[in-house]
Amino acid sequence: AQTVTQSQPEMSVQEAETVTLSCTYDTSESDYYLFWYKQPPSRQMILVIRQEAYKQQNATENRFSVNFQKAAKSFSLKISDSQLGDAAMYFCAYRSGNAGGTSYGKLTFGQGTILTVHP
Amino acid sequence: ETGVTQTPRHLVMGMTNKKSLKCEQHLGHNAMYWYKQSAKKPLELMFVYNFKEQTENNSVPSRFSPECPNSSHLFLHLHTLQPEDSALYLCASSQSGRPYNEQFFGPGTRLTVL
């Protein structure tokens, strides 16, 4: 079974600075997808960024980028120029790409990291 | 209404009550999900429906009973719950068939079992 680990329960950053959230995962599959979701205090979870395991290039979405290290099974999220609105719980998630497997389509989440942004 | 909506947003119930949570998606998706979010725990997938058919039951106790009458609506019927079932229950939807597809989440129902 796949597992996702976020080792930082809480992180903080000054506004306009850069912060990196860590995520590691364990899988024996070669085809999979990784996601970062953001859950603000209002509770509606939204997708921040996603990465296909077969792509070597790191995904980027505006101020959000990932450092995907497939061999190390690491998928960290970097937030540049942090804003007050970035304060939220961030979840790393894994999804199998193995069609027909028992976990196909299922999202496995990490424990989450609470990010605080200081003005 | 847009996206994924859930009602009620907050629910307090006794252990002998029967209640239902409702989820509706306005995105034209064909897969819907129930997740349980407890404090200091990862989100736990409970049920998955694809084209109204249940495709995953993640060893959920029978006191939770899902119902998916069509691809847009998902219910979670609750009965004889325990205090440890208190949590945030999240509904999500996606277009099935491609694991790359994003899951869209509702705002959740905060459930308290007394």
Side-chain angles (χ1 to χ4, degrees):
Chain A
Q2 295 81 23
T3 58
V4 178
T5 302
Q6 295 177 247
S7 59
Q8 307 155 318
E10 297 182 32
M11 291 284 285
S12 64
V13 64
Q14 290 292 133
E15 200 174 2
E17 297 294 310
T18 295
V19 65
T20 298
L21 307 184
S22 301
C23 173
T24 58
Y25 57 94
D26 188 24
T27 184
S28 58
E29 298 177 329
S30 59
D31 184 17
Y32 53 88
Y33 301 80
L34 297 165
F35 304 83
W36 278 99
Y37 277 88
K38 169 185 177 182
Q39 188 179 39
S42 66
R43 296 292 180 180
Q44 194 130 15
M45 188 139 21
I46 56 174
L47 179 68
V48 175
I49 198 166
R50 58 187 150 189
Q51 174 84 38
E52 295 139 286
Y54 65 83
K55 286 189 176 178
Q56 293 187 334
Q57 187 172 5
N58 289 325
T60 299
E61 289 286 343
N62 300 314
R63 297 182 295 106
F64 299 86
S65 62
V66 298
N67 183 5
F68 174 46
Q69 302 288 327
K70 190 170 185 178
K73 298 180 181 173
S74 169
F75 182 61
S76 60
L77 174 69
K78 185 171 87 170
I79 307 174
S80 304
D81 185 25
S82 297
Q83 300 176 359
L84 295 177
D86 295 333
M89 173 89 87
Y90 287 81
F91 292 95
C92 178
Y94 171 102
R95 194 171 192 184
S96 172
N98 180 19
T102 57
S103 58
Y104 180 69
K106 172 182 172 179
L107 268 178
T108 300
F109 285 86
Q111 303 93 319
T113 297
I114 298 173
L115 178 66
T116 302
V117 182
H118 298 289
Chain B
E1 296 274 19
T2 59
V4 181
T5 57
Q6 291 186 243
T7 54
R9 293 294 306 275
H10 300 272
L11 179 62
V12 179
M13 59 187 287
M15 296 198 309
T16 57
N17 291 156
K18 289 185 181 180
K19 296 286 184 184
S20 296
L21 310 185
K22 179 183 175 183
C23 174
E24 185 173 0
Q25 59 95 1
H26 309 266
L27 300 167
H29 292 160
N30 47 36
M32 297 188 78
Y33 312 79
W34 278 119
Y35 288 89
K36 177 183 178 182
Q37 186 177 14
S38 307
K40 302 189 187 302
K41 282 188 176 182
L43 271 77
E44 302 170 61
L45 178 67
M46 300 175 72
F47 301 103
V48 181
Y49 278 82
N50 277 283
F51 296 97
K52 302 188 301 176
E53 298 298 320
Q54 188 181 119
T55 54
E56 180 140 0
N57 177 337
N58 203 23
S59 303
V60 180
S62 59
R63 57 186 184 269
F64 295 91
S65 174
E67 178 190 0
C68 188
N70 54 59
S71 293
S72 299
H73 294 85
L74 185 65
F75 296 89
L76 188 63
H77 304 300
L78 317 171
H79 66 95
T80 327
L81 293 192
Q82 305 298 311
E84 60 265 28
D85 296 323
S86 298
L88 183 70
Y89 289 85
L90 294 170
C91 174
S93 71
S94 73
Q95 198 64 20
S96 65
R98 293 187 61 204
Y100 185 77
N101 289 341
E102 175 185 353
Q103 287 187 19
F104 289 79
F105 286 81
T109 295
R110 171 66 64 187
L111 174 67
T112 303
V113 181
L114 302 176

